[in-house]
Amino acid sequence: MNLTISGHHLEVTPALRSYVTTKLERILRHFDQVVDVKVLLTVENQKEKDRRQRAECTLRVKGSDLFVESMNADLYAAIDELMDRLDRMVVRYKDKVQDHQAGVRRATLQAAGAAA
């Protein structure tokens, strides 16, 4: 897995980097077929100070890309919200990709093999 953490109008400190990597471990615990992760942390110059910190993540998995973004007044809160959304999205993707009929097919093949 390739991990890229970058900042826009922001220096990515070792504390931010370690915080993002520890939060990403939760995602990888649910789904281990991640190819590439790109995290972009941004401080925007808006008049709205409460939605100024922005975190976005592009997660490349086998077959598709998952994109999530979050905005908040605090960058750490934005990262938390981002990882919560990404976690839900990864779990939905995993359920969608999983073969739910594998047990039925296996039983059918065993029954056909026993009859032959």
Side-chain angles (χ1 to χ4, degrees):
M1 176 189 80
N2 295 327
L3 173 63
T4 306
I5 302 172
S6 57
H8 190 246
H9 299 291
L10 169 77
E11 180 182 343
V12 180
T13 62
L16 274 174
R17 186 175 300 279
S18 67
Y19 190 74
V20 170
T21 54
T22 56
K23 291 292 184 173
L24 274 173
E25 289 174 3
R26 185 176 81 182
I27 307 298
L28 298 177
R29 187 175 54 218
H30 288 297
F31 192 66
D32 59 348
Q33 298 177 358
V34 176
V35 176
D36 189 30
V37 179
K38 293 181 182 176
V39 179
L40 179 64
L41 306 174
T42 307
V43 176
E44 296 181 352
N45 294 327
Q46 294 182 2
K47 292 186 179 183
E48 304 174 13
K49 299 233 184 241
D50 59 335
R51 307 289 278 176
R52 200 173 153 181
Q53 312 291 329
R54 182 170 148 188
E56 56 187 55
C57 180
T58 304
L59 190 79
R60 177 166 287 162
V61 293
K62 187 177 177 181
S64 69
D65 292 343
L66 307 174
F67 177 78
V68 181
E69 70 177 340
S70 172
M71 297 174 86
N72 204 316
D74 181 29
L75 188 58
Y76 287 98
I79 293 170
D80 286 341
E81 186 179 341
L82 174 86
M83 292 303 164
D84 289 341
R85 287 181 181 179
L86 190 62
D87 190 33
R88 286 192 303 270
M89 187 178 280
V90 164
V91 168
R92 275 186 298 187
Y93 178 78
K94 183 178 176 182
D95 287 343
K96 182 178 159 184
V97 172
Q98 253 181 350
D99 190 7
H100 294 288
Q101 299 294 323
V104 174
R105 276 192 231 129
R106 202 173 303 120
T108 306
L109 288 175
Q110 287 176 352

